């Protein structure tokens, strides 16, 4: 069987399930549980959710298929994959810049992702200690503020999270990761269901449900549309090479289309469950949906503080969030690490340590963004209003670099690669292929461009 597998120097997934697990591990993370609820709250609810779902369908899924396809065809780190495919297709060498842009975006994302994952780690300890038992909204909020206003604590947790990420990356992404995802992801889904179950008892479940799914398009600004589109990329790990890097380790005989549907489906489900768990708590306790990045940390502890076995469930839940963040973090630096291993002849261990240290250092800026630098903001008139270091990194990566990466991926696969080569990799039903090809050639790129132009008020 192995003869049909392209051998890559980084190893290969043991099969379809392993790839699905790893890619799902990358996709399901803080984006689903931490970010989706708070940006939904910041952007007014239902209408935002609808736009996000449309983006997943018309942009995210087609681009994910394209990205896996590129990765498997190239079989190398995204930078070298793009360099090689551009050469093969007689395209400009600058196309490797797409790989570079993604690798850098990955580091920037991980730098703040690790800080937030650090919050979740801190919360496992707080949950286990029982401080949330019987907590009120005010109590939970003040515990959150006490944590984030202390830069030293945040730095310690950020450091610990970067260390465990470097540990796994240095051993190679296949080891251990598969097992972790196989058991922990289903467990996470069960915990979310328990939380949704609790949410139905708060008396504000319908209010939460309405908030999440009843669209009020008057609340939707062009910026919100950009955030929704950016999040579609972020939550599916697209536009920066993570999925391309994982695709490089994918055996040839596996259907890219089917695999993509499963990953995108699981990812969306987790996000919607998280929303369904959180908003009823928000409304039952008269809290503000637009509470920013602290939203889940201010709301979920109240639920755990009131339910039976709350200490146990709460601790377990935050442990699972840390795991989900961990399996995403690994994929965020994989493109850069894989490139260093290929081109600079570094061992995986050295490459991970160097990249990890750099990322850790950039992360200090985000640690400070929740306390000393909180008010150190700047603006670009008409585009960004008083954003600090963390907000800037978030906006730059999720709203600009990832969609831009996705746009280039769509153009490359849709217009610059020969149809025959694309068809070879994407050996799927004729009708499905036609639909996908139309999406990746026209619909996805045009939508991305329109959303960008709208956001800068150009149209
Ligand atoms: N998809 C991850 C999440 O939702 C974040 C991520 C973004 C991972 C980009 C890899 C690449 O948490």
């Amino acid at each position: 069987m192995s003869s049909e597998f392209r051998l890559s120097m980084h190893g290969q997934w043991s099969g379809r399930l392993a790839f699905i697990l790893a890619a799902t591990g990358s996709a399901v993370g803080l984006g689903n549980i931490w970010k989706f609820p708070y940006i939904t709250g910041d952007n007014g609810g239902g209408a935002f959710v609808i736009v996000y779902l449309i983006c997943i369908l018309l942009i995210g899924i087609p681009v994910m298929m394209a990205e896996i396809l590129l990765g498997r065809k190239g079989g190398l780190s995204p930078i070298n994959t793009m360099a090689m495919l551009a050469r093969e297709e007689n395209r400009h060498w600058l196309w490797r810049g797409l790989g570079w842009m993604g690798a850098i975006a990955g580091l920037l994302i991980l730098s703040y992702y690790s800080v937030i994952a650090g919050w979740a780690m801190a919360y496992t300890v707080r949950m286990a200690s029982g401080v949330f038992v019987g907590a009120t909204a005010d109590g939970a909020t003040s515990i959150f503020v006490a944590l984030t206003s202390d830069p030293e604590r945040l730095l310690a947790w950020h450091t610990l999270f970067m260390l465990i990420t470097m540990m796994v990356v240095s051993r190679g992404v296949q080891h251990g990761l598969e097992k972790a995802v196989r058991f922990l992801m289903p467990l996470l889904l069960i915990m979310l269901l328990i939380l949704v179950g609790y949410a139905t008892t708060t008396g504000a479940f319908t209010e939460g449900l309405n908030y999440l799914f009843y669209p009020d398009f008057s609340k939707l600004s062009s910026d919100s549309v950009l955030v929704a589109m950016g999040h579609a990329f972020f939550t599916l790990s697209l536009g920066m090479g993570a999925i391309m890097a994982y695709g490089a380790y994918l055996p040839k005989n596996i259907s890219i289309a089917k695999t993509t549907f499963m990953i995108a489906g699981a990812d969306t489900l987790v996000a919607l469950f998280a929303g369904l768990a959180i908003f009823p708590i928000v409304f039952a306790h008269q809290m503000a949906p637009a509470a920013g990045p602290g939203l889940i940390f201010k709301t979920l502890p109240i639920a755990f503080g009131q339910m039976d076995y709350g200490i146990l469930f709460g601790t377990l839940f935050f442990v699972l969030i840390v795991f989900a963040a961990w399996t995403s973090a690994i994929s965020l630096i994989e493109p850069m690490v894989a490139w260093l291993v290929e081109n600079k002849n570094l061992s995986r261990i050295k490459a991970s340590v160097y990249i990890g240290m750099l990322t850790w250092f950039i992360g200090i800026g985000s640690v400070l963004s929740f306390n000393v630098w909180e008010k150190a903001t700047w603006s670009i008139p008409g585009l960004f209003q008083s954003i600090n270091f963390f907000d800037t990194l978030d906006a730059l990566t999720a709203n600009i670099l990832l969609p831009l990466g996705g746009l280039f991926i769509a153009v490359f696969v849709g217009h610059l690669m020969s149809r025959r080569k694309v068809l070879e990799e994407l050996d799927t039903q004729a009708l499905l292929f036609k639909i996908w090809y139309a999406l990746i050639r026209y619909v996805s790129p045009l939508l991305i461009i329109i959303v960008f132009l709208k956001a800068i008020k150009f149209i």
Side-chain angles (χ1 to χ4, degrees), residues 200-251:
T200 59
T201 68
T202 55
F205 190 70
T206 15
E207 209 177 328
L209 200 66
N210 274 340
Y211 185 78
L212 209 53
F213 293 113
Y214 184 78
D216 176 358
F217 283 96
S218 67
K219 284 189 186 154
L220 202 68
S221 65
S222 49
D223 295 344
S224 302
V225 176
L226 178 64
V227 176
M229 179 178 81
H231 189 64
F233 282 97
F234 186 90
T235 192
L236 293 177
S237 308
L238 296 177
M240 52 69 66
I243 291 293
M244 203 189 290
Y246 278 10
Y249 319 139
L250 183 67

Side-chain angles (χ1 to χ4, degrees), residues 12-13 17 55 92 95 111 129 133 204 207 262 286 300 311 354 435-436 455-456:
Q12 197 168 45
W13 305 113
L17 185 65
C55 290
H92 203 281
W95 274 99
S111 78
S129 76
V133 173
E207 209 177 328
M262 299 190 58
Q286 284 90 39
L300 292 182
I311 294 186
Y354 292 159
I435 297 175
W436 171 79
I456 59 166

Side-chain angles (χ1 to χ4, degrees), residues 89 91 412-413 415-424 437:
E89 304 285 334
R91 303 298 172 185
F412 192 85
V413 173
H415 296 274
L416 303 183
M417 265 172 95
S418 72
R419 190 188 153 100
R420 185 184 50 78
K421 280 211 179 129
V422 172
L423 201 55
E424 240 170 54
Y437 209 47

